[in-house]
Amino acid sequence: WNAYMLLIFNLTCCQFFYDLSFFFLGVAENAYQLCLTFFSTFGGVSVTLWTNVISFILYSIVQNLHSFNVYGYFRMFFVSIMIPSLVLAILNIICYDNTKQKTILADVYYWIRIVSIMFNIAVHGLISYKLNRMGFDKNSAKLDPVRLLASRLKYYPIVQIITRAGAAWYEAAY
């Protein structure tokens, strides 16, 4: 167990909360709809923010060419992710019956996810640029763990775009 596993563990736990929301789809009872709202909002926002933290840490490693003290900053990351996620989820539940406020909160949720994707794309671009300036050879990625990790970063925005597109399609339909 190391600091990077701690980040992945927290990302996975938040993804679990988001996945729980799918168990409440199609159930008309109000309590189930509130659970769906809470889990999907909290999980969606927290997962997207964890991917931003991981991208930021990787950018810091590539930029400074030394490891990042994840344990030293973990509480700050955790609080800065959990508070907005919980606040938005709780506000979504409080405003559940108010259509206008619920629409505003849905827009906030939507834009947080979109900005997160753009952030990860920008970080990937910066990291790729930095590695290319350093003479990054794709064949040497197997030998250099920083470059290997950086090459895998491109999958965050790709997966986010694919999953966000599917969710946006679902949200537009319902």
Side-chain angles (χ1 to χ4, degrees):
W1 191 266
N2 61 38
Y4 301 105
M5 291 302 295
L6 182 61
L7 293 172
I8 299 299
F9 174 77
N10 280 277
L11 174 73
T12 304
C13 288
C14 292
Q15 182 64 49
F16 174 73
F17 278 104
Y18 183 75
D19 293 344
L20 278 177
S21 68
F22 292 107
F23 288 104
F24 300 103
L25 286 175
V27 180
E29 292 183 36
N30 203 25
Y32 288 108
Q33 290 301 309
L34 292 175
C35 289
L36 167 70
T37 299
F38 178 81
F39 288 135
S40 65
T41 304
F42 172 75
V45 172
S46 59
V47 165
T48 200
L49 294 176
W50 276 116
T51 64
N52 294 144
V53 165
I54 293 168
S55 295
F56 168 77
I57 290 170
L58 182 57
Y59 174 76
S60 177
I61 291 169
V62 170
Q63 183 66 31
N64 300 319
L65 297 175
H66 64 82
S67 65
F68 187 89
N69 182 7
V70 175
Y71 286 125
Y73 291 96
F74 181 77
R75 286 185 182 164
M76 180 189 70
F77 291 144
F78 187 83
V79 169
S80 64
I81 290 169
M82 292 302 145
I83 288 178
S85 301
L86 283 171
V87 167
L88 191 60
I90 291 168
L91 285 174
N92 252 339
I93 289 175
I94 291 171
C95 300
Y96 183 75
D97 292 325
N98 186 325
T99 306
K100 183 177 180 179
Q101 290 176 342
K102 190 173 181 181
T103 302
I104 292 169
L105 292 171
D107 288 343
V108 169
Y109 173 82
Y110 175 80
W111 283 106
I112 287 172
R113 303 282 306 260
I114 295 300
V115 169
S116 170
I117 292 169
M118 290 188 297
F119 175 84
N120 284 338
I121 290 170
V123 169
H124 172 65
L126 290 170
I127 289 172
S128 296
Y129 176 75
K130 175 78 173 174
L131 290 176
N132 284 334
R133 287 189 62 208
M134 292 169 38
F136 174 62
D137 177 17
K138 293 183 181 186
N139 295 329
S140 69
K142 296 175 186 172
L143 304 175
D144 187 353
V146 171
R147 291 179 181 173
L148 179 62
L149 186 59
S151 70
R152 291 180 181 170
L153 177 64
K154 66 184 170 214
Y155 298 112
Y156 280 131
I158 292 169
V159 170
Q160 282 182 308
I161 289 167
I162 291 169
T163 59
R164 188 66 220 140
W169 186 326
Y170 173 80
E171 290 162 359
Y174 298 98

